[in-house]
């Protein structure tokens, strides 16, 4: 039944969005038994009603739903907040997986899925969002804490998993974006093929796909490059892969 609420009030707050009642109830009951506070919704409208009353720590959402589909809902959510989103997609539908990454989903789980794997994915994404965010400079100064790692035109806070601009404002990264940027930082000035990037930044059992790297690179460039159309930090090596050039340290 839509509108279900279950689980301990002190656990992470999960909203399951799926138009199939059997899927909602199965997932909600399992996660509630694992200590999560779970609410379930059959549509984007019900999800909006839930979020208006109380925010969520993570949203688990099916892609294929009648009316407003999961991708459209995810795009709305990402435009307004950094709430983590995990998409449920058909195992043979590469288009849905690419589209999910393009709208800023943090992860995707292929149907049919094992509930234990789903729980592990949820906990992995939540861990990336539990570190405290760095405080922005009170005086609006342009200086950036020395411990931050330069990435193109911005800096990466490795603990908080967010980007910090030179004026102190922050930009959250999805789990997948952070994983890929971390790999680039660990391999500066080295050409990495797409296959190698998938091996290093893909901590999942699901079969990866080449275009996922290209989609994440495109999103990262929009966040770290001064001019994404002329990237200086993540450079394309035609026919091979990508090369990461660290930014200069400084203010």
């Amino acid at each position: 039944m839509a509108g279900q609420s279950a689980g301990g009030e002190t656990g992470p707050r999960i909203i399951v969005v799926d138009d199939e009642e059997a899927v909602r109830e199965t997932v909600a009951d399992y996660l509630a038994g694992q200590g999560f506070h779970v609410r379930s919704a059959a549509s984007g409208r019900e999800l909006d009603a839930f979020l208006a009353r109380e925010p969520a720590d993570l949203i688990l959402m099916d892609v294929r739903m009648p009316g407003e589909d999961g991708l459209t809902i995810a795009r709305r959510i990402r435009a307004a907040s950094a709430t983590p989103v995990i998409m449920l997609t058909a195992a043979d539908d590469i288009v849905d997986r690419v589209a999910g990454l393009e709208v800023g989903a943090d992860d995707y789980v292929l149907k049919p899925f094992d509930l234990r794997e789903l729980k592990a994915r949820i906990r992995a994404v939540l861990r990336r969002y539990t570190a405290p965010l760095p405080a922005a400079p009170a005086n609006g100064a342009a200086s950036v804490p020395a411990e931050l790692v330069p990435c193109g035109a911005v800096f990466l806070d490795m603990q908080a998993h967010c980007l910090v601009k030179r004026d102190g404002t922050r930009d959250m990264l999805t789990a997948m974006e952070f994983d890929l940027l971390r790999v680039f930082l660990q391999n500066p000035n080295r050409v990495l093929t797409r296959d190698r990037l998938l091996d290093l930044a893909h901590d999942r059992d699901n079969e990866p796909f080449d275009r996922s790297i290209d989609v994440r690179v495109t999103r990262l460039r929009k966040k770290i490059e001064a001019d994404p159309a002329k990237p200086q930090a993540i450079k394309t090596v035609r026919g091979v892969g990508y090369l990461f050039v660290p930014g200069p340290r400084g203010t």
Side-chain angles (χ1 to χ4, degrees):
M1 179 177 64
Q4 174 184 355
S5 180
E9 295 293 333
T10 59
R13 298 164 296 182
I14 309 293
I15 300 180
V16 180
V17 187
D18 198 302
D19 63 300
E20 295 185 34
E21 183 177 354
V23 174
R24 291 197 309 272
E25 291 184 349
T26 298
V27 173
D29 288 346
Y30 174 78
L31 293 178
Q34 300 299 310
F36 295 96
H37 173 51
V38 187
R39 293 172 287 173
S40 60
S43 65
R45 179 176 298 181
E46 291 185 3
L47 171 64
D48 292 341
F50 276 137
L51 293 174
R53 293 195 294 268
E54 180 185 19
D57 296 310
L58 183 142
I59 297 170
L60 181 67
M61 184 155 46
D62 186 34
V63 171
R64 300 291 182 174
M65 294 191 295
E68 188 180 26
D69 63 59
L71 295 173
T72 303
I73 299 170
R75 186 179 292 108
R76 285 201 291 107
I77 292 170
R78 185 57 69 237
S81 75
T83 302
V85 176
I86 296 179
M87 307 298 299
L88 303 177
T89 71
D92 60 349
D93 200 331
I94 296 293
V95 173
D96 280 351
R97 284 184 268 169
V98 171
L101 295 176
E102 288 175 338
V103 301
D106 294 88
D107 201 352
Y108 59 84
V109 176
L110 305 183
K111 289 183 172 181
F113 51 83
D114 185 287
L115 289 170
R116 293 169 298 180
E117 178 191 1
L118 177 62
K119 178 185 69 173
R121 297 289 189 82
I122 289 172
R123 292 200 183 281
V125 171
L126 286 173
R127 280 196 297 270
R128 290 172 167 89
Y129 285 84
T130 54
L133 292 175
N139 59 2
S143 62
V144 180
E147 67 272 13
L148 301 183
V149 181
C151 294
V154 298
F155 291 79
L156 175 67
D157 187 308
M158 294 292 291
Q159 180 181 7
H161 292 207
C162 71
L163 297 173
V164 182
K165 299 179 182 179
R166 295 181 184 274
D167 63 0
T169 58
R170 313 174 203 105
D171 189 0
M172 292 300 300
L173 294 167
T174 69
M176 286 186 171
E177 290 167 352
F178 176 82
D179 287 343
L180 182 58
L181 190 53
R182 173 180 50 80
V183 168
F184 279 132
L185 286 167
Q186 292 171 345
N187 296 273
N189 300 307
R190 291 179 58 188
V191 177
L192 298 173
T193 65
R194 289 173 176 81
D195 285 342
R196 183 58 176 158
L197 287 168
L198 284 169
D199 289 340
L200 295 174
H202 210 81
D203 58 352
R204 65 179 68 249
D205 294 328
N206 285 341
E207 180 183 356
F209 55 103
D210 287 351
R211 195 180 165 193
S212 68
I213 292 296
D214 296 331
V215 173
R216 275 179 271 178
V217 166
T218 297
R219 289 185 62 85
L220 282 177
R221 281 173 170 166
K222 292 178 181 179
K223 293 183 177 184
I224 73 172
E225 300 280 3
D227 182 359
K230 299 178 181 179
Q232 300 300 310
I234 304 178
K235 299 190 176 186
T236 299
V237 181
R238 192 174 300 277
V240 182
Y242 295 101
L243 170 72
F244 178 73
V245 180
R249 170 69 68 183
T251 62

